[in-house]
Amino acid sequence: MENKPDKVVYMDHSATTAVHPKVLDAMLPYFSERFGNASSIYGLAREARRALDQSRQTLAEGIGAKPEEIIFTSGGTESDNLALKGVADALRSKGNHIITSAIEHHAILHVCEYLSKRGYEITYLPVDKHGIVDPDAVGRAITEGTVLVSIMHANNEVGTIEPIAEIGRICKERKVVFHSDGVQAVGKLPIKVDELGVDLYSISAHKFYGPKGVGALYVRRRTPLIPQAQGGSQERNRRAGTENTAGIVGLATAIAMAEERRDDYNRKVGALRDRLIAGIQERIPSVCLNGHPTRRLSNNVNFCFQYVEGESILLNLDLMGVAASSGSACTSASLEPSHVLLAMGVQPEIAHGSVRLTLGYDNTEQEVDYVLSILPEIIERLRSMSPLYSKAGAAAGGGNG
Amino acid sequence: MENKPDKVVYMDHSATTAVHPKVLDAMLPYFSERFGNASSIYGLAREARRALDQSRQTLAEGIGAKPEEIIFTSGGTESDNLALKGVADALRSKGNHIITSAIEHHAILHVCEYLSKRGYEITYLPVDKHGIVDPDAVGRAITEGTVLVSIMHANNEVGTIEPIAEIGRICKERKVVFHSDGVQAVGKLPIKVDELGVDLYSISAHKFYGPKGVGALYVRRRTPLIPQAQGGSQERNRRAGTENTAGIVGLATAIAMAEERRDDYNRKVGALRDRLIAGIQERIPSVCLNGHPTRRLSNNVNFCFQYVEGESILLNLDLMGVAASSGSACTSASLEPSHVLLAMGVQPEIAHGSVRLTLGYDNTEQEVDYVLSILPEIIERLRSMSPLYSKAGAAAGGGNG
Amino acid sequence: MYSDLVMDHFSNPRNVGEIPDADGVGTAGNPVCGDIMKIYIKVKDDCIEDIKFKTFGCGAAVATSSMVTEMVKGKTIEEALVITDKAVAEALGGLPANKMHCSNLAATTVHKAIEDYRSKVGAGSR
Amino acid sequence: MYSDLVMDHFSNPRNVGEIPDADGVGTAGNPVCGDIMKIYIKVKDDCIEDIKFKTFGCGAAVATSSMVTEMVKGKTIEEALVITDKAVAEALGGLPANKMHCSNLAATTVHKAIEDYRSKVGAGSR
Ligand SMILES: Cc1ncc(COP(=O)(O)O)c(C=O)c1O
Ligand SMILES: Cc1ncc(COP(=O)(O)O)c(C=O)c1O
């Protein structure tokens, strides 16, 4: 086992990323110099207004939308909440049925639970063992009363990429509003809202080297949406609150950078991902790659290590200077196994042994190799401690610590 | 008239303030170095978690609350929305009556309109000519079905300070939940939640030299509240979304600074305010100070200049390098006269001539004197152009431009 | 918010004032909306020989008043009647959306002054 | 999240392993919750002479297993039965709130091992 590196080996980029120095540079003037309130009329405010307009333009261009179709929010969660509640509210008289999938982020699933307590019917579509939603199943689930379909673009835990364009086509044919949670897709997948056929699309800056606490919701023109934050007339009356100018400039700078280097990112990060996956499969027995073998995000590695529990692996990785996670960061307070893995048919005790390593632009081959050098020993040590392992009879009984 | 100064004379501090350099310094490490997701378990995340805990502690101490009574939000608007909708939702079975005042910020009034469309009854209490709510009127308005009283701590347009402690006492006696929008009060008024008797209290960082896009809601223990953002389990399940660590650290640093220099601030800024008020009253005829003569925020100056329209004054001030506003920044897109002035009994055509100059810690006597040197001429010139002025017969007819 | 041309007309409004012996006077707007324009015209040989205005209102109200006086000065009454509020806004290079309604009444006010002039001439000739 | 003491017991767990000829074996937890503990004891003169554990679970599960073995080793059975799950958590300087339920079963598991031992002894003496 190699020595612990000086710098943390960060492999949890799907939880959050560091703000890129270029992004921070772009943001800095908007804290203390060009700090004006974008809604005021004097010069200082016009600077802020211009920055907002420019940022909206940049984001719109990045996703093939029009500037007036962008609503800036406080993050992916607010975007998801606004999309679901906003459309559900607006179309209440038309129907009360919402279709989503079993593997959405909690920012979708928990909103659905909230809505179901308020009289909405929710259909949670199943996924196959790779985590893929069947577009035909979406079509079959649509009824007279369906007001919204919400299927994520790419899954945050296992990295599976959903067939959004096909689902979009079906929704369009059936005239149902279609939302997609694109929080994990930005910077990795091409996002052109017309090609994807989405009416609403959620984005969160901190997942692609932008700041935390700022996001956006794309809303196609004429999509019915009741605002969820009442107050001032910001964002054309669709999202009240003094605009977070610095954050919005950060989001725009980050998306421009992400789009510019997307191919490069996918090539570079994808190679690291493949090296990590192959290395784990070679070195460690009784493991299983979660998610789709090819239709997966270029930065996602997710394995179940049989007979051991995920948090124990994470703690050991942390002790060795590697930051990773088991599933989504926001559920790490919970003891339930991942709802995503369960929906994919993974047994609960195996799901408990899942670890997600999500790579980023600055990870190196050396770092991947370091992880590959320490992980087998960590797993072996934990297995030697596991009552399931000896029970499984797959190896000799454990030694003493 | 003096020459236009090199630096903008910023007198719109109630719209927003520049982030203080010390605040920005405290925030900086949390963008690109200590960028971890506070909900993860590894070292990097623990740094973020510690920063959050520390910030929560600082804010709690600042307002005399317990850390677990603080919910961080994306700003004053979200705090107000969460307070009103959260309590209304939670107590729906108990009643549907909400009491507020006619001079609240739109982040309260528009939420009330939203709720009234959903079956709630709203009582908008009147104010006297100084903008003060009568605590006894609150008591008289409370009925069996009253679930919430929301009265702002200090008004954003005219700076009037409301008798919150008395209202708090009445609400406590009558066992009604009491919210106060304290967005304009922080840094100017002492805020001890127990002395004020509030159950919920809204805060927005950018009003006291903190960053935009971050705020907080104080929620007294055991106050019923249904979360309005569903998703991850952040903020003890009461506000989902990856925590804006840098913003939250900024808020905490800003409130600590604001509390520390509050007396100094009030002394210094209050003296400038008095100089500006006296100077305007001396130099310009037919003006009228809006708000209470003494029960007003130390930084608020708000005048109606008869026979002229507010925006014209602001544009002229802007041309001369002075940034001010007419009423609240978020309504500057609207043509309606201020609802606050109307509620105080000001005639609409006079209300249109209102200008708000809100001072800050860095304003100087020279700046105040500069404004006093240019304002009479601006008003005179606009009056000479005004058909109302000659009609009023208060002066000779206008000259040519 | 406002274009440079609007700001120019706002800062240096043309033809501000009254014409004591005006041939026609028009007023539009109302104080509740926050905009009132008053336009005075002097007519000779069916031509608007002189024009002055007084305006209570926002930047757009002042600029459109100023612009309209430039546009109609020296024009015949028929020519002046063809000019619309929209044309004035366009001549200024456009106005913010929320200013198109109340604050953009300058042509209307000129038309009212012409009406006033015509009613007086009509009355006089009758 | 975890105290230093918890991390110490997690990183260097005491008494990991099995006792092939154990006098009592106890198991608690279930794989759906993600925590399973198995404890082996060797009893002599009513005293827990040796103890070993195997645990599948999170940091808290491992640390509490390790801690409980230290706490009961050499104790009498009566003394061991007095030790509660809460006492184990306290000996570790506390556990995160969400870990108090499923992952804090080490004392329970020891009690089960003692039960197993007693049932065997009882069976033998009957
Ligand atoms: C797929 C997905 N949707 C929504 C979110 C929520 O975004 P945020 O935490 O920025 O509110 C996340 C990340 O946390 C995510 O991965
Ligand atoms: C009294 C009051 N409440 C609420 C708000 C809304 O705060 P924010 O714009 O930060 O959402 C403001 C300021 O805009 C305010 O002055």
Side-chain angles (χ1 to χ4, degrees):
Chain A
M1 208 184 275
E2 290 182 29
N3 281 330
K4 185 169 159 177
D6 297 336
K7 212 175 113 283
V8 170
V9 174
Y10 186 70
M11 293 198 178
D12 200 15
H13 291 83
S14 289
T16 195
T17 55
V19 176
H20 191 280
K22 275 209 296 198
V23 172
L24 185 56
D25 275 353
M27 294 169 67
L28 280 179
Y30 295 93
F31 288 110
S32 306
E33 297 151 45
R34 304 185 212 149
F35 67 92
N37 187 320
S39 301
S40 306
I41 69 168
Y42 39 76
L44 206 64
R46 285 195 292 271
E47 282 177 354
R49 165 66 51 200
R50 220 174 287 133
L52 273 190
D53 289 347
Q54 184 54 52
S55 298
R56 201 182 303 279
Q57 180 73 36
T58 304
L59 172 53
E61 273 167 23
I63 64 171
K66 300 178 201 72
E68 64 273 18
E69 295 175 318
I70 305 292
I71 302 177
F72 288 116
T73 69
S74 68
T77 299
E78 185 185 338
S79 297
D80 284 347
N81 274 259
L82 173 55
L84 269 59
K85 295 177 188 170
V87 171
D89 247 14
L91 297 179
R92 191 66 181 89
S93 60
K94 189 176 168 285
N96 72 337
H97 181 226
I98 295 171
I99 298 170
T100 187
S101 85
I103 62 159
E104 300 294 313
H105 190 269
H106 283 155
I108 297 291
L109 293 180
H110 289 168
V111 175
C112 287
E113 280 169 33
Y114 174 90
L115 289 172
S116 82
K117 279 192 206 129
R118 278 156 183 77
Y120 290 87
E121 300 290 330
I122 319 287
T123 298
Y124 299 94
L125 293 176
V127 292
D128 70 9
K129 66 176 178 180
H130 294 130
I132 289 191
V133 174
D134 177 3
D136 292 335
V138 174
R140 284 193 301 272
I142 293 175
T143 68
E144 273 292 285
T146 306
V147 291
L148 179 67
V149 170
S150 178
I151 305 288
M152 70 202 315
H153 196 173
N155 181 270
N156 48 305
E157 291 190 30
V158 296
T160 299
I161 300 163
E162 301 299 337
I164 293 305
E166 284 104 285
I167 297 172
R169 251 192 312 280
I170 290 166
C171 290
K172 197 169 179 185
E173 252 174 56
R174 306 287 294 275
K175 295 198 174 53
V176 175
V177 177
F178 179 36
H179 167 256
S180 185
D181 176 341
V183 167
Q184 292 292 342
V186 179
K188 292 154 206 152
L189 303 179
I191 297 159
K192 293 295 165 212
V193 289
D194 287 346
E195 286 166 30
L196 293 177
V198 293
D199 298 308
L200 305 105
Y201 195 83
S202 301
I203 285 173
S204 182
H206 71 98
K207 305 287 188 182
F208 49 93
Y209 303 94
K212 296 184 222 315
V214 58
L217 180 66
Y218 159 78
V219 185
R220 186 178 295 279
R221 219 187 274 202
R222 279 190 285 275
T223 304
L225 187 85
I226 292 194
Q228 300 296 305
Q230 281 74 36
S233 51
Q234 294 92 350
E235 298 298 297
R236 311 168 122 237
N237 278 313
R238 290 178 303 175
R239 199 274 186 184
T242 298
E243 299 90 343
N244 175 3
T245 326
I248 289 168
V249 167
L251 185 155
T253 311
I255 204 164
M257 193 183 73
E259 281 302 297
E260 199 188 301
R261 72 181 190 185
R262 182 152 49 81
D263 289 339
D264 188 32
Y265 174 98
N266 284 329
R267 199 169 29 245
K268 191 189 154 194
V269 176
L272 294 179
R273 174 198 64 182
D274 295 342
R275 186 183 186 92
L276 186 51
I277 290 177
I280 289 174
Q281 286 171 329
E282 262 164 36
R283 284 158 216 240
I284 308 178
S286 304
V287 301
C288 156
L289 179 68
N290 296 312
H292 197 280
T294 55
R295 284 163 64 176
R296 82 187 292 136
L297 292 176
S298 61
N299 76 331
N300 179 288
V301 175
N302 188 314
F303 273 98
C304 281
F305 297 90
Q306 273 189 65
Y307 317 120
V308 294
E309 198 271 346
E311 191 197 282
S312 287
I313 306 173
L314 297 185
L315 288 172
N316 275 297
L317 285 172
D318 184 36
L319 289 170
M320 295 301 291
V322 177
S325 86
S326 59
S328 81
C330 10
T331 54
S332 61
S334 134
L335 300 171
E336 312 265 295
S338 151
H339 68 281
V340 175
L341 297 180
L342 295 185
M344 288 161 59
V346 178
Q347 294 302 309
E349 66 268 36
I350 294 181
H352 272 295
S354 75
V355 168
R356 179 183 78 171
L357 294 146
T358 43
L359 301 157
Y361 199 81
D362 297 325
N363 283 132
T364 61
E365 273 194 13
Q366 287 69 36
E367 289 178 327
V368 167
D369 291 346
Y370 171 70
V371 171
L372 289 174
S373 79
I374 61 169
L375 197 52
E377 207 164 316
I378 288 173
I379 301 298
E380 179 50 33
R381 202 177 78 89
L382 289 171
R383 283 182 176 167
S384 77
M385 221 190 273
S386 168
L388 301 177
Y389 194 48
S390 38
K391 194 193 278 170
N400 197 327
Chain B
M1 209 184 277
E2 290 182 29
N3 282 331
K4 186 170 158 177
D6 298 335
K7 212 175 113 283
V8 169
V9 175
Y10 186 71
M11 292 197 179
D12 200 15
H13 290 85
S14 289
T16 195
T17 55
V19 175
H20 192 280
K22 275 209 297 198
V23 172
L24 185 55
D25 275 352
M27 294 169 67
L28 281 179
Y30 295 93
F31 289 109
S32 307
E33 296 152 48
R34 302 185 213 151
F35 67 91
N37 187 318
S39 302
S40 307
I41 67 167
Y42 39 77
L44 207 63
R46 284 196 292 271
E47 283 176 354
R49 164 68 49 200
R50 219 173 288 130
L52 274 189
D53 288 347
Q54 184 53 52
S55 298
R56 202 182 302 279
Q57 180 72 38
T58 304
L59 171 53
E61 272 167 22
I63 64 172
K66 298 177 203 74
E68 64 272 20
E69 294 175 320
I70 304 292
I71 301 176
F72 288 116
T73 69
S74 68
T77 299
E78 186 185 338
S79 296
D80 284 347
N81 273 259
L82 173 55
L84 268 60
K85 296 176 187 170
V87 171
D89 248 13
L91 297 179
R92 190 67 181 87
S93 61
K94 188 176 167 285
N96 71 338
H97 181 227
I98 295 171
I99 298 169
T100 187
S101 85
I103 62 159
E104 299 294 314
H105 189 269
H106 284 154
I108 297 291
L109 293 180
H110 289 169
V111 175
C112 286
E113 280 168 32
Y114 174 91
L115 289 173
S116 81
K117 282 192 205 129
R118 279 156 183 76
Y120 288 87
E121 301 289 331
I122 319 288
T123 298
Y124 299 94
L125 293 177
V127 293
D128 69 11
K129 66 177 177 176
H130 293 131
I132 288 191
V133 174
D134 176 5
D136 292 337
V138 175
R140 284 192 301 272
I142 293 175
T143 68
E144 274 291 285
T146 307
V147 290
L148 180 67
V149 169
S150 178
I151 305 288
M152 70 201 315
H153 197 173
N155 182 271
N156 48 305
E157 292 190 29
V158 297
T160 299
I161 300 163
E162 302 298 338
I164 294 305
E166 283 105 286
I167 298 172
R169 251 192 311 281
I170 290 166
C171 290
K172 196 167 179 186
E173 250 174 56
R174 307 286 293 274
K175 296 199 175 51
V176 175
V177 177
F178 179 37
H179 167 255
S180 184
D181 176 342
V183 168
Q184 292 292 343
V186 179
K188 293 154 204 150
L189 303 178
I191 298 159
K192 292 294 166 215
V193 290
D194 286 346
E195 285 166 30
L196 294 176
V198 293
D199 298 307
L200 304 105
Y201 194 83
S202 300
I203 285 174
S204 181
H206 72 98
K207 306 286 188 183
F208 49 92
Y209 303 95
K212 298 185 219 319
V214 59
L217 181 65
Y218 159 78
V219 185
R220 186 179 294 279
R221 218 187 275 202
R222 278 190 285 275
T223 304
L225 187 85
I226 292 193
Q228 299 296 305
Q230 280 75 35
S233 51
Q234 294 92 350
E235 299 299 295
R236 311 168 123 237
N237 279 311
R238 289 179 302 177
R239 198 273 185 183
T242 299
E243 299 90 342
N244 175 2
T245 326
I248 289 168
V249 167
L251 186 155
T253 311
I255 205 164
M257 191 183 74
E259 281 302 296
E260 198 189 302
R261 72 182 191 185
R262 183 151 51 80
D263 290 339
D264 188 33
Y265 174 99
N266 283 330
R267 196 168 31 245
K268 191 188 155 194
V269 176
L272 295 178
R273 174 198 66 183
D274 295 342
R275 187 182 185 94
L276 186 52
I277 290 177
I280 288 174
Q281 284 170 330
E282 261 165 37
R283 283 157 214 240
I284 308 178
S286 304
V287 300
C288 155
L289 179 68
N290 296 312
H292 197 280
T294 54
R295 284 163 64 176
R296 82 186 291 135
L297 292 176
S298 61
N299 76 330
N300 180 289
V301 175
N302 188 316
F303 273 100
C304 281
F305 297 91
Q306 271 190 66
Y307 317 120
V308 295
E309 197 271 347
E311 190 196 283
S312 287
I313 306 173
L314 296 186
L315 288 172
N316 274 298
L317 285 171
D318 184 35
L319 289 170
M320 296 300 292
V322 178
S325 86
S326 59
S328 81
C330 10
T331 54
S332 61
S334 137
L335 301 171
E336 311 265 294
S338 149
H339 68 281
V340 175
L341 295 180
L342 296 184
M344 288 161 57
V346 178
Q347 293 303 308
E349 67 267 37
I350 294 180
H352 272 295
S354 75
V355 168
R356 179 184 78 172
L357 295 147
T358 43
L359 301 157
Y361 197 82
D362 297 325
N363 284 133
T364 60
E365 272 194 15
Q366 286 70 36
E367 289 178 327
V368 167
D369 292 346
Y370 171 71
V371 171
L372 289 173
S373 78
I374 61 169
L375 197 52
E377 207 163 316
I378 290 173
I379 300 298
E380 179 50 33
R381 202 176 79 88
L382 288 171
R383 282 183 177 166
S384 77
M385 222 190 273
S386 169
L388 302 176
Y389 193 49
S390 37
K391 195 193 276 172
N400 197 329
Chain C
M1 189 168 84
Y2 290 128
S3 68
D4 287 348
L5 189 57
V6 172
M7 283 309 292
D8 177 43
H9 274 271
F10 172 76
S11 316
N12 307 295
R14 292 37 153 187
N15 307 304
V16 175
E18 296 172 53
I19 303 178
D21 58 343
D23 296 322
V25 181
T27 307
N30 83 60
V32 177
C33 287
D35 290 298
I36 304 174
M37 299 176 188
K38 194 162 184 179
I39 284 188
Y40 302 80
I41 51 171
K42 196 90 195 138
V43 182
K44 197 173 168 188
D45 298 336
D46 227 39
C47 220
I48 297 178
E49 207 190 42
D50 196 11
I51 179 163
K52 292 231 182 295
F53 81 89
K54 284 213 158 185
T55 287
F56 164 86
C58 64
V62 173
T64 50
S65 308
S66 166
M67 177 51 95
V68 88
T69 61
E70 293 266 280
M71 287 170 83
V72 304
K73 202 171 187 174
K75 292 267 161 68
T76 64
I77 279 183
E78 289 313 315
E79 286 168 335
L81 283 171
V82 174
I83 293 170
T84 59
D85 289 331
K86 197 156 153 265
V88 177
E90 277 163 12
L92 282 166
L95 288 174
N98 62 334
K99 297 293 185 180
M100 287 302 282
H101 182 53
C102 285
S103 316
N104 186 18
L105 293 170
T108 301
T109 317
V110 169
H111 300 172
K112 287 196 174 179
I114 292 173
E115 236 173 70
D116 180 50
Y117 158 72
R118 281 184 167 167
S119 74
K120 281 179 188 155
V121 172
S125 67
R126 212 186 304 151
Chain D
M1 190 167 82
Y2 291 127
S3 67
D4 288 348
L5 190 56
V6 172
M7 283 308 291
D8 178 42
H9 274 271
F10 171 75
S11 316
N12 307 295
R14 295 28 157 192
N15 307 304
V16 175
E18 296 172 52
I19 301 177
D21 57 342
D23 296 321
V25 181
T27 308
N30 83 60
V32 178
C33 287
D35 290 298
I36 304 174
M37 298 175 189
K38 194 161 183 179
I39 283 189
Y40 303 80
I41 51 173
K42 195 94 194 132
V43 182
K44 197 176 167 184
D45 298 337
D46 226 43
C47 221
I48 297 178
E49 206 189 44
D50 196 10
I51 180 164
K52 291 229 183 293
F53 81 90
K54 284 212 157 185
T55 288
F56 163 86
C58 64
V62 173
T64 50
S65 307
S66 167
M67 177 52 95
V68 88
T69 61
E70 292 266 279
M71 287 169 83
V72 304
K73 204 173 186 174
K75 292 267 161 67
T76 64
I77 280 183
E78 288 312 316
E79 284 167 337
L81 282 172
V82 175
I83 293 171
T84 59
D85 289 330
K86 197 157 155 263
V88 177
E90 276 164 12
L92 282 166
L95 287 175
N98 62 334
K99 297 293 186 182
M100 286 303 282
H101 182 53
C102 285
S103 315
N104 186 17
L105 293 170
T108 302
T109 317
V110 169
H111 299 172
K112 288 195 174 180
I114 292 172
E115 236 172 72
D116 180 51
Y117 158 72
R118 282 185 167 167
S119 74
K120 282 179 188 159
V121 172
S125 68
R126 213 185 302 149

